[in-house]
Amino acid sequence: PETYITQFFGTEAGYEFSVARHHLSTWDPENPGKVIMTDVTRELQPKAVADALEEHREAIFAANAKDMENAKADGIAAPVLKRLKFDEGKLADVCAGLRALAKMDDPIGYEQLRTELADGLVLSRVACPIGVVGVIFEARPDALVQIAGLCLKSGNSVLLKGGREAMHSNQALFDVMKQ
């Protein structure tokens, strides 16, 4: 099944994300508390991503080694290098986080507030996807996985902009998540 985690460049990114967002989840007017998933299941997708990350760990670690080497050559500060490093510990943390996310209740369709304003007139607030979430983050490859996982679970599309220091790591993680 197509997951619609997509990498976009250029001025058409907003339009493309709107299209991807439509495919990720569609609101059903016949059943307003229910969001229909097309091509993905929000409950299973974070676990599938965790499994794929573990399966492709060597490629991810090799990409991160390139980033670490380039960052050291560029004289990047030690605190940034620490955030940039994506090792077994960080992989285990993001995979555990994704699996915990998969077990969480569906956040969409939850009635957060209900007030009867008048006889037969009810005001309610129901949780729904935002649509497209844009996040800029620096040299933190683990942030890509965490943010994308949250957006998958919540039915949102995401536009991610990572730091150039983590270019190879982010590309490797993106490629694995896209599968």
Side-chain angles (χ1 to χ4, degrees):
E2 192 74 23
T3 58
Y4 294 99
I5 297 175
T6 310
Q7 185 175 35
F8 296 102
F9 299 98
T11 59
E12 297 179 10
Y15 171 76
E16 296 293 340
F17 269 90
S18 295
V19 171
R21 161 84 178 81
H22 173 72
H23 288 287
L24 186 61
S25 64
T26 306
W27 183 65
D28 179 4
E30 298 298 318
N31 189 357
K34 178 89 171 151
V35 173
I36 301 170
M37 293 304 297
T38 56
D39 300 327
V40 294
T41 304
R42 287 189 318 276
E43 292 76 21
L44 299 177
Q45 198 64 33
K47 184 189 176 307
V49 169
D51 293 344
L53 291 172
E54 289 176 339
E55 182 180 331
H56 294 91
R57 68 179 358 109
E58 295 307 319
I60 294 166
F61 294 153
N64 185 252
K66 279 186 200 175
D67 288 335
M68 292 296 292
E69 183 180 315
N70 292 341
K72 287 176 185 172
D74 290 345
I76 300 295
V80 177
L81 288 174
K82 184 177 177 183
R83 288 191 301 269
L84 177 61
K85 187 167 183 65
F86 193 85
D87 57 9
E88 287 286 347
K90 284 191 180 177
L91 177 65
D93 288 346
V94 297
C95 289
L98 288 168
R99 289 190 175 99
L101 188 62
K103 292 178 184 177
M104 293 176 72
D105 291 338
D106 188 352
I108 299 175
Y110 170 69
E111 189 173 59
Q112 300 171 333
L113 177 70
R114 183 178 183 86
T115 305
E116 187 168 350
L117 300 175
D119 190 29
L121 180 60
V122 176
L123 174 67
S124 63
R125 182 174 63 199
V126 179
C128 65
I130 294 170
V132 179
V133 176
V135 180
I136 300 171
F137 57 99
E138 294 184 8
R140 289 194 51 224
D142 53 323
L144 182 144
V145 178
Q146 295 161 346
I147 296 163
L150 288 168
C151 286
L152 280 171
K153 182 70 176 185
S154 62
N156 289 294
S157 293
V158 63
L159 180 60
L160 298 167
K161 170 63 175 96
R164 66 176 173 78
E165 302 86 2
M167 179 176 62
H168 296 98
S169 302
N170 288 341
Q171 185 65 55
L173 290 166
F174 169 80
D175 290 343
V176 170
M177 293 181 76
K178 187 176 176 184
Q179 292 181 3

PDB file of all heavy atoms in Angstrom, residues 128-146:
ATOM      1  N   CYS A 128      -9.743  16.416  14.818  1.00  0.00           N
ATOM      2  CA  CYS A 128      -9.603  16.066  13.408  1.00  0.00           C
ATOM      3  C   CYS A 128      -8.185  16.429  12.960  1.00  0.00           C
ATOM      4  O   CYS A 128      -7.503  17.204  13.625  1.00  0.00           O
ATOM      5  CB  CYS A 128     -10.644  16.780  12.562  1.00  0.00           C
ATOM      6  SG  CYS A 128     -10.460  18.567  12.540  1.00  0.00           S
ATOM      7  N   PRO A 129      -7.741  15.886  11.833  1.00  0.00           N
ATOM      8  CA  PRO A 129      -6.402  16.243  11.350  1.00  0.00           C
ATOM      9  C   PRO A 129      -6.307  17.730  11.031  1.00  0.00           C
ATOM     10  O   PRO A 129      -7.282  18.351  10.606  1.00  0.00           O
ATOM     11  CB  PRO A 129      -6.257  15.413  10.062  1.00  0.00           C
ATOM     12  CG  PRO A 129      -7.242  14.309  10.198  1.00  0.00           C
ATOM     13  CD  PRO A 129      -8.380  14.876  10.997  1.00  0.00           C
ATOM     14  N   ILE A 130      -5.134  18.288  11.232  1.00  0.00           N
ATOM     15  CA  ILE A 130      -4.871  19.683  10.904  1.00  0.00           C
ATOM     16  C   ILE A 130      -4.825  19.838   9.388  1.00  0.00           C
ATOM     17  O   ILE A 130      -5.329  20.790   8.835  1.00  0.00           O
ATOM     18  CB  ILE A 130      -3.533  20.150  11.526  1.00  0.00           C
ATOM     19  CG1 ILE A 130      -3.626  20.143  13.036  1.00  0.00           C
ATOM     20  CG2 ILE A 130      -3.135  21.519  10.992  1.00  0.00           C
ATOM     21  CD1 ILE A 130      -2.296  20.353  13.735  1.00  0.00           C
ATOM     22  N   GLY A 131      -4.196  18.905   8.730  1.00  0.00           N
ATOM     23  CA  GLY A 131      -4.041  18.956   7.274  1.00  0.00           C
ATOM     24  C   GLY A 131      -2.595  18.749   6.909  1.00  0.00           C
ATOM     25  O   GLY A 131      -2.132  17.628   6.775  1.00  0.00           O
ATOM     26  N   VAL A 132      -1.860  19.833   6.781  1.00  0.00           N
ATOM     27  CA  VAL A 132      -0.440  19.769   6.459  1.00  0.00           C
ATOM     28  C   VAL A 132       0.333  20.430   7.591  1.00  0.00           C
ATOM     29  O   VAL A 132       0.049  21.560   7.966  1.00  0.00           O
ATOM     30  CB  VAL A 132      -0.118  20.478   5.125  1.00  0.00           C
ATOM     31  CG1 VAL A 132       1.375  20.420   4.824  1.00  0.00           C
ATOM     32  CG2 VAL A 132      -0.914  19.865   3.982  1.00  0.00           C
ATOM     33  N   VAL A 133       1.300  19.711   8.138  1.00  0.00           N
ATOM     34  CA  VAL A 133       2.142  20.203   9.220  1.00  0.00           C
ATOM     35  C   VAL A 133       3.528  20.466   8.639  1.00  0.00           C
ATOM     36  O   VAL A 133       4.087  19.598   7.965  1.00  0.00           O
ATOM     37  CB  VAL A 133       2.236  19.166  10.363  1.00  0.00           C
ATOM     38  CG1 VAL A 133       3.185  19.622  11.454  1.00  0.00           C
ATOM     39  CG2 VAL A 133       0.858  18.869  10.931  1.00  0.00           C
ATOM     40  N   GLY A 134       4.067  21.637   8.874  1.00  0.00           N
ATOM     41  CA  GLY A 134       5.415  21.963   8.423  1.00  0.00           C
ATOM     42  C   GLY A 134       6.344  22.088   9.622  1.00  0.00           C
ATOM     43  O   GLY A 134       6.013  22.759  10.594  1.00  0.00           O
ATOM     44  N   VAL A 135       7.489  21.406   9.556  1.00  0.00           N
ATOM     45  CA  VAL A 135       8.437  21.427  10.676  1.00  0.00           C
ATOM     46  C   VAL A 135       9.850  21.621  10.133  1.00  0.00           C
ATOM     47  O   VAL A 135      10.272  20.929   9.208  1.00  0.00           O
ATOM     48  CB  VAL A 135       8.381  20.116  11.493  1.00  0.00           C
ATOM     49  CG1 VAL A 135       9.366  20.159  12.649  1.00  0.00           C
ATOM     50  CG2 VAL A 135       6.982  19.845  11.998  1.00  0.00           C
ATOM     51  N   ILE A 136      10.553  22.574  10.719  1.00  0.00           N
ATOM     52  CA  ILE A 136      11.967  22.787  10.413  1.00  0.00           C
ATOM     53  C   ILE A 136      12.755  22.322  11.631  1.00  0.00           C
ATOM     54  O   ILE A 136      12.483  22.732  12.749  1.00  0.00           O
ATOM     55  CB  ILE A 136      12.258  24.273  10.124  1.00  0.00           C
ATOM     56  CG1 ILE A 136      11.445  24.752   8.925  1.00  0.00           C
ATOM     57  CG2 ILE A 136      13.757  24.491   9.910  1.00  0.00           C
ATOM     58  CD1 ILE A 136      11.499  26.243   8.691  1.00  0.00           C
ATOM     59  N   PHE A 137      13.720  21.444  11.384  1.00  0.00           N
ATOM     60  CA  PHE A 137      14.551  20.944  12.479  1.00  0.00           C
ATOM     61  C   PHE A 137      15.990  20.902  11.997  1.00  0.00           C
ATOM     62  O   PHE A 137      16.261  20.862  10.802  1.00  0.00           O
ATOM     63  CB  PHE A 137      14.078  19.571  12.962  1.00  0.00           C
ATOM     64  CG  PHE A 137      14.033  18.523  11.883  1.00  0.00           C
ATOM     65  CD1 PHE A 137      15.060  17.609  11.744  1.00  0.00           C
ATOM     66  CD2 PHE A 137      12.958  18.449  11.013  1.00  0.00           C
ATOM     67  CE1 PHE A 137      15.032  16.650  10.753  1.00  0.00           C
ATOM     68  CE2 PHE A 137      12.907  17.491  10.019  1.00  0.00           C
ATOM     69  CZ  PHE A 137      13.956  16.595   9.884  1.00  0.00           C
ATOM     70  N   GLU A 138      16.902  20.921  12.934  1.00  0.00           N
ATOM     71  CA  GLU A 138      18.313  20.977  12.570  1.00  0.00           C
ATOM     72  C   GLU A 138      18.897  19.582  12.475  1.00  0.00           C
ATOM     73  O   GLU A 138      18.271  18.686  11.942  1.00  0.00           O
ATOM     74  CB  GLU A 138      19.063  21.856  13.563  1.00  0.00           C
ATOM     75  CG  GLU A 138      18.606  23.308  13.477  1.00  0.00           C
ATOM     76  CD  GLU A 138      19.388  24.228  14.376  1.00  0.00           C
ATOM     77  OE1 GLU A 138      20.390  23.807  14.966  1.00  0.00           O
ATOM     78  OE2 GLU A 138      18.991  25.390  14.494  1.00  0.00           O
ATOM     79  N   ALA A 139      20.058  19.384  13.006  1.00  0.00           N
ATOM     80  CA  ALA A 139      20.819  18.148  12.874  1.00  0.00           C
ATOM     81  C   ALA A 139      20.295  17.058  13.803  1.00  0.00           C
ATOM     82  O   ALA A 139      21.005  16.584  14.678  1.00  0.00           O
ATOM     83  CB  ALA A 139      22.294  18.427  13.143  1.00  0.00           C
ATOM     84  N   ARG A 140      19.031  16.671  13.622  1.00  0.00           N
ATOM     85  CA  ARG A 140      18.428  15.635  14.472  1.00  0.00           C
ATOM     86  C   ARG A 140      17.683  14.636  13.601  1.00  0.00           C
ATOM     87  O   ARG A 140      16.483  14.758  13.396  1.00  0.00           O
ATOM     88  CB  ARG A 140      17.459  16.262  15.466  1.00  0.00           C
ATOM     89  CG  ARG A 140      18.133  17.066  16.548  1.00  0.00           C
ATOM     90  CD  ARG A 140      17.188  17.379  17.689  1.00  0.00           C
ATOM     91  NE  ARG A 140      16.523  16.188  18.170  1.00  0.00           N
ATOM     92  CZ  ARG A 140      15.221  16.133  18.460  1.00  0.00           C
ATOM     93  NH1 ARG A 140      14.444  17.171  18.310  1.00  0.00           N
ATOM     94  NH2 ARG A 140      14.676  15.019  18.896  1.00  0.00           N
ATOM     95  N   PRO A 141      18.371  13.615  13.084  1.00  0.00           N
ATOM     96  CA  PRO A 141      17.688  12.638  12.245  1.00  0.00           C
ATOM     97  C   PRO A 141      16.543  11.936  12.974  1.00  0.00           C
ATOM     98  O   PRO A 141      15.544  11.575  12.345  1.00  0.00           O
ATOM     99  CB  PRO A 141      18.785  11.637  11.876  1.00  0.00           C
ATOM    100  CG  PRO A 141      20.074  12.278  12.207  1.00  0.00           C
ATOM    101  CD  PRO A 141      19.802  13.356  13.204  1.00  0.00           C
ATOM    102  N   ASP A 142      16.663  11.767  14.276  1.00  0.00           N
ATOM    103  CA  ASP A 142      15.583  11.118  15.029  1.00  0.00           C
ATOM    104  C   ASP A 142      14.300  11.947  15.005  1.00  0.00           C
ATOM    105  O   ASP A 142      13.192  11.397  15.068  1.00  0.00           O
ATOM    106  CB  ASP A 142      16.003  10.804  16.459  1.00  0.00           C
ATOM    107  CG  ASP A 142      16.557  11.998  17.209  1.00  0.00           C
ATOM    108  OD1 ASP A 142      17.263  12.831  16.614  1.00  0.00           O
ATOM    109  OD2 ASP A 142      16.293  12.099  18.423  1.00  0.00           O
ATOM    110  N   ALA A 143      14.431  13.263  14.849  1.00  0.00           N
ATOM    111  CA  ALA A 143      13.246  14.126  14.782  1.00  0.00           C
ATOM    112  C   ALA A 143      12.408  13.808  13.552  1.00  0.00           C
ATOM    113  O   ALA A 143      11.177  13.840  13.605  1.00  0.00           O
ATOM    114  CB  ALA A 143      13.660  15.595  14.775  1.00  0.00           C
ATOM    115  N   LEU A 144      13.062  13.485  12.437  1.00  0.00           N
ATOM    116  CA  LEU A 144      12.335  13.146  11.220  1.00  0.00           C
ATOM    117  C   LEU A 144      11.390  11.976  11.485  1.00  0.00           C
ATOM    118  O   LEU A 144      10.208  12.023  11.136  1.00  0.00           O
ATOM    119  CB  LEU A 144      13.322  12.789  10.107  1.00  0.00           C
ATOM    120  CG  LEU A 144      12.716  12.452   8.750  1.00  0.00           C
ATOM    121  CD1 LEU A 144      13.594  12.964   7.635  1.00  0.00           C
ATOM    122  CD2 LEU A 144      12.500  10.965   8.592  1.00  0.00           C
ATOM    123  N   VAL A 145      11.897  10.941  12.130  1.00  0.00           N
ATOM    124  CA  VAL A 145      11.096   9.750  12.405  1.00  0.00           C
ATOM    125  C   VAL A 145       9.974  10.073  13.393  1.00  0.00           C
ATOM    126  O   VAL A 145       8.823   9.663  13.199  1.00  0.00           O
ATOM    127  CB  VAL A 145      11.984   8.610  12.960  1.00  0.00           C
ATOM    128  CG1 VAL A 145      11.156   7.387  13.291  1.00  0.00           C
ATOM    129  CG2 VAL A 145      13.083   8.262  11.968  1.00  0.00           C
ATOM    130  N   GLN A 146      10.292  10.789  14.455  1.00  0.00           N
ATOM    131  CA  GLN A 146       9.292  11.109  15.471  1.00  0.00           C
ATOM    132  C   GLN A 146       8.157  11.954  14.903  1.00  0.00           C
ATOM    133  O   GLN A 146       6.973  11.675  15.143  1.00  0.00           O
ATOM    134  CB  GLN A 146       9.963  11.824  16.649  1.00  0.00           C
ATOM    135  CG  GLN A 146      10.946  10.951  17.391  1.00  0.00           C
ATOM    136  CD  GLN A 146      11.924  11.742  18.238  1.00  0.00           C
ATOM    137  OE1 GLN A 146      12.064  12.954  18.102  1.00  0.00           O
ATOM    138  NE2 GLN A 146      12.623  11.046  19.128  1.00  0.00           N
TER     139      GLN A 146
END
